[in-house]
Amino acid sequence: MYQSTLNWSLAILDKTIPDVIVGRLPRYLGTLEQMEREGINKTSSQELGERLNISAAQIRKDLSQFGEFGKQGTGYSVPFLVERLRSILKVDRMWEMVLVGAGDLGHAIARYQGFTDCGFTIAMIFDNDPAKVGVNIGGFRVEDVANLVSKVKSRTIQVAMITVPASSAQAVADCLVQAGVRAILNYAPTVLNVPSGIRVQYIDPVIHLQRMTYYLD
Amino acid sequence: MYQSTLNWSLAILDKTIPDVIVGRLPRYLGTLEQMEREGINKTSSQELGERLNISAAQIRKDLSQFGEFGKQGTGYSVPFLVERLRSILKVDRMWEMVLVGAGDLGHAIARYQGFTDCGFTIAMIFDNDPAKVGVNIGGFRVEDVANLVSKVKSRTIQVAMITVPASSAQAVADCLVQAGVRAILNYAPTVLNVPSGIRVQYIDPVIHLQRMTYYLD
DNA sequence: TAGATTGTTAATCGATTAACAATC
DNA sequence: TAGATTGTTAATCGATTAACAATC
């Protein structure tokens, strides 16, 4: 009896946020960080919405899912909202990432400086090409993918990026899951099958381009 | 009177397809092309849905916006559906693209082999760094961004990719619009302001990563 | 205080799913 | 024919917008 009451109240408190809202939070955070760099200390749902092409009502509704972050009449404190969003998105810490695939794209990502300030850092790079294993990229020695499972497991890394050809992406994903990875950013143009509970996001320029040519003539 | 009747019937025939549907079409096409490579000639909304993690009803509904492509009892012809989707998405032709930004990411994209079979080809590469102008990347001589507007205009290129730092992305976008570009794939982590009628798609790994860490702990 | 802007409710809008007659 | 699967309609579900009392 007590148990079920407890569960019920927890269920209320711990309400599930729709994925479409979660998907907008990183965009809010990015724009607010930009405002911070510009020295802006206060903002409103209106102003934020204009920067993002999102309605003010939607921004207020989204943010209100997580607490009352604003003040009537004055709006939101930019640094406070940045701090809250970082905490909500769990990027108030540093996530170590594995990068699998040391081709051109893997190189570019390994050398990209934009991850650190956003809560991410590359910890290991793997490839299956003997010619690449041992090579230094962005300060890391490329490791043999054959050792991926044990090495990733031993460092309890939860986030991975896949930049291998489509034909080997599923096999790589299987290894990553086996190694305990729970979030995968897949640059290979193929759908990955993963157990439920493992998050996958896709980056495929062709998908974006084809979505635009529909409107051209 | 006749005019308004004509406009009305055109409006009916030329119904606007929701953007969320257009966004799924490239994914359908990619999976069907994969099936074609696997030698599969016939498929069903059910089978396609399983590959994409999309409901069969949704796939049938989406496709039916554009015509009756299937047969009761037997499903869809894979090559026929591929042909139809290529035509709908206008990738039954080749789109020339401008690439602006010859850094690591620009290099990787310029050397990527995956565009050609999907209806795209890089035609020109620009950068503002004197050290990069003149260099050969993927068979192209990097051009000075100062000449972008005239050169792009003269070749009537409509599609562009931006791989410059966030701080110069808006200025580049302005030039591209001035040069007649109508679709921009922006890899810089910043929102672009463009006139209505110009399409923009964004690729930002940090957005995707932060959207996943929300679910981790 | 007067003006501005929040958080929230109710209304609207749009997208997804279920179901099934049509038919291959 | 019997089984399978479409295209489409109606029902459901969910997301966005409008509006406003509360209040800084």
Side-chain angles (χ1 to χ4, degrees):
Chain A
M1 188 55 179
Y2 171 74
Q3 182 67 49
S4 80
T5 305
L6 183 65
N7 284 343
W8 178 82
S9 58
L10 281 173
I12 294 295
L13 291 170
D14 191 20
K15 70 172 178 304
T16 302
I17 306 294
D19 191 59
V20 67
I21 294 183
V22 176
R24 280 190 293 261
L25 299 184
R27 302 178 56 203
Y28 297 166
L29 176 55
T31 300
L32 288 158
E33 285 170 337
Q34 175 58 28
M35 285 176 165
E36 222 175 12
R37 284 191 294 270
E38 292 172 17
I40 300 171
N41 251 279
K42 285 271 170 199
T43 190
S44 63
S45 55
Q46 167 101 40
E47 185 186 31
L48 194 50
E50 275 163 16
R51 291 217 183 199
L52 284 157
N53 300 317
I54 290 178
S55 80
Q58 178 151 88
I59 289 174
R60 290 202 303 280
K61 190 126 209 278
D62 286 353
L63 295 175
S64 74
Q65 306 293 311
F66 302 94
E68 306 195 358
F69 300 148
K71 279 203 192 18
Q72 284 103 324
T74 61
Y76 301 91
S77 153
V78 174
F80 177 71
L81 205 45
V82 163
E83 184 269 316
R84 293 311 307 138
L85 284 170
R86 284 200 181 126
S87 163
I88 291 163
L89 291 170
K90 306 205 180 75
V91 288
D92 53 354
R93 66 209 74 172
M94 196 57 85
W95 294 91
E96 295 196 316
M97 298 189 289
V98 196
L99 173 61
V100 189
D104 288 326
L105 186 56
H107 264 78
I109 290 171
R111 294 161 55 94
Y112 182 55
Q113 299 300 309
F115 290 125
T116 317
D117 290 341
C118 300
F120 301 93
T121 185
I122 291 174
M124 290 193 273
I125 304 176
F126 291 91
D127 202 293
N128 71 343
D129 180 351
K132 284 174 187 153
V133 173
V135 168
N136 188 297
I137 297 181
F140 290 94
R141 183 185 171 279
V142 176
E143 314 247 12
D144 191 327
V145 81
N147 306 318
L148 188 152
V149 176
S150 63
K151 295 221 173 184
V152 171
K153 211 181 249 172
S154 71
R155 291 185 62 168
T156 59
I157 294 177
Q158 295 192 71
V159 182
M161 292 185 287
I162 296 180
T163 56
V164 303
S167 51
S168 32
Q170 182 63 56
V172 167
D174 293 342
C175 289
L176 290 168
V177 169
Q178 212 193 318
V181 163
R182 297 207 289 138
I184 298 174
L185 181 55
N186 180 29
Y187 281 85
T190 184
V191 178
L192 298 179
N193 286 112
V194 295
S196 74
I198 310 294
R199 298 273 151 184
V200 181
Q201 291 276 303
Y202 296 90
I203 288 185
D204 181 350
V206 167
I207 299 285
H208 290 283
L209 291 167
Q210 292 186 337
R211 185 179 181 154
M212 293 193 285
T213 48
Y214 172 82
Y215 299 97
L216 301 182
D217 44 39
Chain B
M1 187 55 178
Y2 171 75
Q3 182 66 51
S4 79
T5 305
L6 183 67
N7 283 343
W8 179 83
S9 60
L10 280 174
I12 294 295
L13 292 169
D14 193 20
K15 70 173 179 304
T16 302
I17 306 292
D19 190 59
V20 68
I21 294 183
V22 175
R24 280 190 293 263
L25 300 183
R27 302 178 55 206
Y28 297 166
L29 176 55
T31 300
L32 287 159
E33 285 170 336
Q34 175 59 29
M35 285 177 165
E36 222 174 12
R37 284 190 294 272
E38 293 172 17
I40 299 172
N41 251 280
K42 285 272 167 197
T43 191
S44 63
S45 56
Q46 167 99 42
E47 185 187 32
L48 195 50
E50 277 164 13
R51 291 218 183 197
L52 285 157
N53 300 317
I54 290 179
S55 80
Q58 179 150 90
I59 288 174
R60 290 201 302 280
K61 192 125 207 280
D62 286 354
L63 294 176
S64 74
Q65 306 293 310
F66 302 94
E68 306 194 357
F69 300 149
K71 279 204 194 14
Q72 285 102 327
T74 61
Y76 301 90
S77 154
V78 174
F80 177 70
L81 206 45
V82 163
E83 184 269 317
R84 291 312 308 140
L85 284 169
R86 284 201 181 126
S87 164
I88 291 163
L89 291 170
K90 305 204 181 77
V91 289
D92 53 354
R93 65 208 75 173
M94 194 59 82
W95 294 92
E96 294 196 317
M97 299 189 290
V98 195
L99 174 60
V100 189
D104 288 325
L105 185 57
H107 264 79
I109 289 171
R111 294 161 53 94
Y112 181 55
Q113 298 300 309
F115 289 124
T116 316
D117 291 340
C118 300
F120 301 93
T121 186
I122 291 175
M124 290 193 272
I125 305 177
F126 291 91
D127 203 292
N128 70 344
D129 181 351
K132 281 174 188 152
V133 172
V135 168
N136 186 297
I137 297 181
F140 291 93
R141 181 184 173 280
V142 176
E143 314 248 13
D144 191 327
V145 82
N147 307 318
L148 188 151
V149 176
S150 62
K151 295 223 173 185
V152 171
K153 211 181 250 172
S154 71
R155 290 186 60 168
T156 59
I157 293 177
Q158 296 192 69
V159 183
M161 294 184 287
I162 296 180
T163 56
V164 303
S167 52
S168 31
Q170 182 63 57
V172 166
D174 293 342
C175 290
L176 289 168
V177 169
Q178 213 193 316
V181 163
R182 297 207 289 140
I184 298 173
L185 181 55
N186 180 29
Y187 281 85
T190 185
V191 178
L192 298 179
N193 287 113
V194 296
S196 75
I198 311 292
R199 299 271 150 184
V200 181
Q201 290 276 303
Y202 297 90
I203 289 186
D204 182 350
V206 167
I207 300 285
H208 290 284
L209 291 167
Q210 291 185 337
R211 181 177 186 156
M212 294 194 284
T213 48
Y214 173 83
Y215 298 98
L216 300 181
D217 44 38

